[in-house]
Amino acid sequence: MASEDIAKLAESLARTQVGGGQLSFKGKSLKLNTAEDAREVIREIEAFEGLEALRLEGNTVGVEAARVIAKALEKKSELKRCHWSDMFTGRLRSEIPPALISLGDALITAGAQLVELDLSDNAFGPDGVRGFEALLKSSACFTLRELKLNNCGLGIGGGKILASALTECHRKSSALGKPLALTMFVAGRNRLENDGATALAEAFGIIGTLEEIHMPQNGINHPGVTALAQAFAANSLLRVINLNDNTFTEKGAVAMAETLKILRQVEVINFGDCLVRSRGALAIADAVKEGLHRLKELNLSFCEIKRDAALAIAEAVEDKSELEKLDLNGNALGEEGCEQLQEILEGFSMAHTLASLSDDEGEEEEEEEEGEEEEEEEEEEEEEEEEEEEEEEEEEEEELQRGEAEEVTTPPKKILDTHVGEPASVLCSPTDVSTFLAFPSSEKLLRLGPKSSMLIAQQTDTSDPEKVVSTFLKVSSVFKDDLAVKTAVQEAVDALMKKAFGSATFNSNAFITKLLIHMGLLKSEDKIKAIPNLYGPLMVLNHMVQQDYFPKTLTPVLLAFVTKPNRALESCSFARHNLLQTLHHV
């Protein structure tokens, strides 16, 4: 090599090498199409001893250039951080997956142990996720701590692929005794929507080590928010939760508030522009008041929160000594409400934490009155509907009881098998199953015979989580320690839940949410009356969670809510204790 070339290379290295083993080409606007275009980059990579971080942001890398850069990386086993955001500007979407595959394969070949992977601001869509799917599943990512995929256009499909890859990474790494311990996940502006968010929630629940989650602007509504809330409950180290600009509504806010009551390390909550509304804000206020002693920032701006709920938030932060910022801008407090809010915080010597209220939408009494009237009308309509449903149920009960009486007076004849002279088993009709489900009892269950489990599963629409929960609770309500009853109940539940969980379309997160609500362990805005006795359901859950069909992602959610103090559980201490022991060991 000529002396001037050596000098040129040394100058280049001095310009790009950063402390901590980092080589940076950040923001150089390099257009790397061919191998020749990438020659200088390759040279610097090859010459860099102890390369731990490579920054390629703000450049554009084509398929051929990526291939030769990857070749240079195959010998960089010490590489830990890949800052590869915004490196495909102007590229066709079809170019990105092969480029990512080349780079990912190189890291696997090198035996790298990544700590950080940042592919943000690369609009590669679901196909792009396929490009680094193999990398995520490989040993190169068993040590991954930070995954950043902001503004990549993942969509629902990409979210599902990503969730599956992370789950597989956790499974493989766990088999080696060192499970994936991801601490930061960033995926804002990706159009994940409910299905994508729910898929990722399942992965989060399995991982359980997350400390920061950033998923703003993803079009997530309350079903997806609820799924995420359940997953967050399994990540006890969570410090930062950013779901800005999604649509919680009251349902999602209440579900998230219940999770916040469990978490102890949270420092930053960003639910700005999430439409939590007043009811949701009150639920969050309760969660803040009960705990969250490390809270530093709470953002509930532009959430359609009215004065009283906003004041409840202010009162809830009284003992939050580490609070630095409270953002309630863009809500409907009115001038008087804003003054009251400031007075409350001044009384706590915390006025400095309050963000500007310059965009407050004001308090309009007429609209409030109209809203209250609408709510009252809705409540009256709901009460009328409930009364009508109760009347219909009473009529059905009378009809079914009459049918049962007729069956008792004229018992079915046994059909003789002419070949052996022994009575053949009599199949139960669907009416018998309907009778049991309408008025469950252990005697009725036993009368259904040996095919009861199959018949009950057939009679239940297992595509509907609400109906599955209803059947599960009815069957488990007749649980007894009597061997025959216990066996019949467990077999019926096994058949039902195996069918449900075995369906690719069944929403297991919705099932566990509805089950917890009906058991009185999770609050709901809907008027759902909790079942009076939890002994049977708890004993049956103790059996169910040990079965292969039960999704292990639901275990930490169930554990969190059964561990939490609740009056409904106090009268079933034995069943609760047994279930907790099982959940800690499955």
Side-chain angles (χ1 to χ4, degrees):
M1 183 182 292
S3 58
E4 61 179 331
D5 291 333
I6 295 174
K8 183 179 179 181
L9 178 58
E11 180 182 354
S12 179
L13 286 172
R15 186 174 63 254
T16 56
Q17 187 167 338
V18 184
Q22 177 174 281
L23 178 61
S24 177
F25 299 95
K26 181 178 180 179
K28 293 184 177 294
S29 299
L30 301 174
K31 296 180 180 179
L32 308 178
N33 297 315
T34 65
E36 180 61 25
D37 294 337
R39 186 164 58 91
E40 288 298 323
V41 173
I42 295 166
R43 185 183 299 177
E44 294 185 26
I45 290 173
E46 290 176 340
F48 198 111
E49 295 294 333
L51 180 62
E52 295 183 6
L54 178 61
R55 308 195 74 103
L56 292 173
E57 310 104 306
N59 300 291
T60 178
V61 182
V63 176
E64 184 180 342
R67 190 179 300 119
V68 292
I69 290 173
K71 194 69 178 174
L73 292 175
E74 287 181 357
K75 297 179 181 179
K76 300 299 177 180
S77 61
E78 296 178 9
L79 187 61
K80 293 180 174 62
R81 299 182 182 275
C82 297
H83 301 278
W84 295 350
S85 63
D86 189 24
M87 58 179 266
F88 295 112
T89 303
R91 298 290 169 184
L92 296 174
R93 183 170 288 188
S94 59
E95 292 182 84
I96 301 175
L100 288 173
I101 289 171
S102 295
L103 293 168
D105 288 347
L107 298 178
I108 297 171
T109 300
Q113 298 287 294
L114 293 185
V115 172
E116 179 180 0
L117 177 61
D118 186 356
L119 290 169
S120 299
D121 300 315
N122 291 309
F124 45 57
D127 292 340
V129 185
R130 293 289 188 196
F132 62 93
E133 180 182 15
L135 173 63
L136 281 181
K137 292 180 178 180
S138 75
S139 59
C141 285
F142 289 177
T143 51
L144 195 64
R145 295 293 179 269
E146 300 177 15
L147 179 59
K148 302 173 183 178
L149 298 167
N150 201 56
N151 191 32
C152 291
L154 300 179
I156 294 172
K160 289 182 176 180
I161 297 168
L162 179 60
S164 176
L166 288 172
T167 302
E168 181 69 3
C169 181
H170 187 273
R171 185 190 68 80
K172 288 182 176 180
S173 57
S174 296
L176 297 177
K178 294 183 178 180
L180 172 68
L182 195 68
T183 59
M184 180 187 293
F185 180 83
V186 180
R189 300 180 65 188
N190 274 297
R191 304 192 307 276
L192 292 169
E193 301 181 14
N194 289 333
D195 289 347
T198 299
L200 285 167
E202 292 184 8
F204 296 161
I206 293 172
I207 294 169
T209 55
L210 285 160
E211 298 178 15
E212 293 189 34
I213 296 178
H214 302 263
M215 297 174 66
Q217 297 181 31
N218 271 295
I220 306 170
N221 299 325
H222 73 83
V225 173
T226 300
L228 288 171
Q230 294 167 1
F232 293 173
N235 289 264
S236 60
L237 299 177
L238 262 180
R239 294 183 298 103
V240 179
I241 303 174
N242 178 7
L243 293 176
N244 186 283
D245 199 8
N246 290 291
T247 308
F248 282 38
T249 65
E250 293 92 333
K251 291 182 179 180
V254 169
M256 192 62 70
E258 289 299 314
T259 289
L260 291 175
K261 292 178 181 179
I262 298 170
L263 300 175
R264 294 289 179 267
Q265 308 298 323
V266 175
E267 298 176 1
V268 177
I269 298 172
N270 187 346
F271 296 159
D273 203 14
C274 283
L275 202 66
V276 304
R277 295 198 174 110
S278 293
R279 290 183 186 177
L282 288 172
I284 292 171
D286 286 341
V288 173
K289 191 171 185 177
E290 288 184 20
L292 300 178
H293 296 294
R294 298 188 177 185
L295 189 64
K296 294 181 179 179
E297 181 176 336
L298 176 59
N299 184 347
L300 292 172
S301 60
F302 300 94
C303 282
E304 293 191 3
I305 300 171
K306 295 181 181 178
R307 179 180 60 185
D308 290 347
L311 298 181
I313 290 287
E315 290 171 351
V317 303
E318 178 180 2
D319 62 344
K320 306 300 177 274
S321 59
E322 297 185 28
L323 189 70
E324 298 173 0
K325 183 178 181 181
L326 174 62
D327 193 345
L328 290 167
N329 195 23
N331 290 298
L333 281 66
E335 185 177 347
E336 184 179 348
C338 290
E339 291 176 357
Q340 290 175 323
L341 184 65
Q342 291 170 332
E343 288 174 2
I344 290 173
L345 293 172
E346 284 174 0
F348 304 151
S349 299
M350 299 175 71
H352 63 281
T353 67
L354 185 62
S356 170
L357 297 172
S358 59
D359 293 319
D360 185 75
E361 295 184 359
E363 185 178 33
E364 298 182 15
E365 294 181 2
E366 291 182 3
E367 288 189 3
E368 281 189 349
E369 291 173 359
E370 290 174 2
E372 288 173 357
E373 289 174 0
E374 288 176 0
E375 287 179 1
E376 289 173 359
E377 289 174 1
E378 289 174 1
E379 288 174 359
E380 289 174 358
E381 290 174 0
E382 289 173 0
E383 288 173 358
E384 290 174 359
E385 289 174 1
E386 287 177 359
E387 289 174 358
E388 290 174 0
E389 289 174 0
E390 287 175 0
E391 291 174 359
E392 291 174 0
E393 287 174 0
E394 288 174 359
E395 291 173 0
E396 290 174 0
E397 182 175 354
E398 290 174 359
E399 290 176 4
L400 287 166
Q401 286 175 339
R402 285 196 297 269
E404 283 189 297
E406 292 173 1
E407 289 173 6
V408 172
T409 56
T410 57
K413 295 180 180 180
K414 293 181 179 179
I415 302 171
L416 293 178
D417 187 323
T418 55
H419 294 288
V420 294
E422 293 293 326
S425 60
V426 180
L427 290 177
C428 299
S429 68
T431 304
D432 295 322
V433 178
S434 299
T435 301
F436 166 73
L437 292 176
F439 314 107
S441 71
S442 56
E443 292 77 12
K444 290 191 184 82
L445 179 62
L446 293 177
R447 282 208 303 268
L448 290 177
K451 293 190 177 181
S452 61
S453 58
M454 177 189 71
L455 292 168
I456 290 171
Q458 287 177 344
Q459 284 288 96
T460 305
D461 179 4
T462 51
S463 66
D464 186 341
E466 182 68 42
K467 292 179 180 178
V468 175
V469 167
S470 177
T471 300
F472 172 86
L473 290 174
K474 288 175 179 177
V475 173
S476 62
S477 70
V478 306
F479 179 90
K480 291 182 180 178
D481 291 324
D482 175 80
L483 181 60
V485 176
K486 179 179 179 180
T487 301
V489 169
Q490 290 178 347
E491 288 179 350
V493 167
D494 285 343
L496 172 70
M497 301 313 304
K498 189 173 184 179
K499 180 182 175 185
F501 287 133
S503 171
T505 58
F506 184 69
N507 190 331
S508 58
N509 286 308
F511 166 78
I512 201 69
T513 299
K514 294 178 184 296
L515 179 61
L516 290 169
I517 289 171
H518 282 281
M519 291 176 68
L521 304 182
L522 180 63
K523 293 180 182 178
S524 172
E525 289 186 355
D526 300 325
K527 293 184 177 180
I528 296 176
K529 187 176 180 180
I531 58 174
N533 191 339
L534 295 183
Y535 178 77
L538 291 172
M539 294 298 287
V540 175
L541 279 172
N542 186 49
H543 165 78
M544 186 173 77
V545 298
Q546 299 178 64
Q547 308 311 307
D548 291 338
Y549 62 72
F550 184 76
K552 301 308 177 189
T553 55
L554 301 183
T555 300
V557 179
L558 198 54
L559 178 61
F561 282 95
V562 177
T563 302
K564 188 179 172 185
N566 191 297
R567 289 183 181 178
L569 294 169
E570 291 176 1
S571 60
C572 308
S573 56
F574 173 76
R576 179 191 192 186
H577 177 72
N578 280 354
L579 178 56
L580 285 173
Q581 279 192 320
T582 301
L583 290 170
H584 279 295
H585 290 94
V586 292

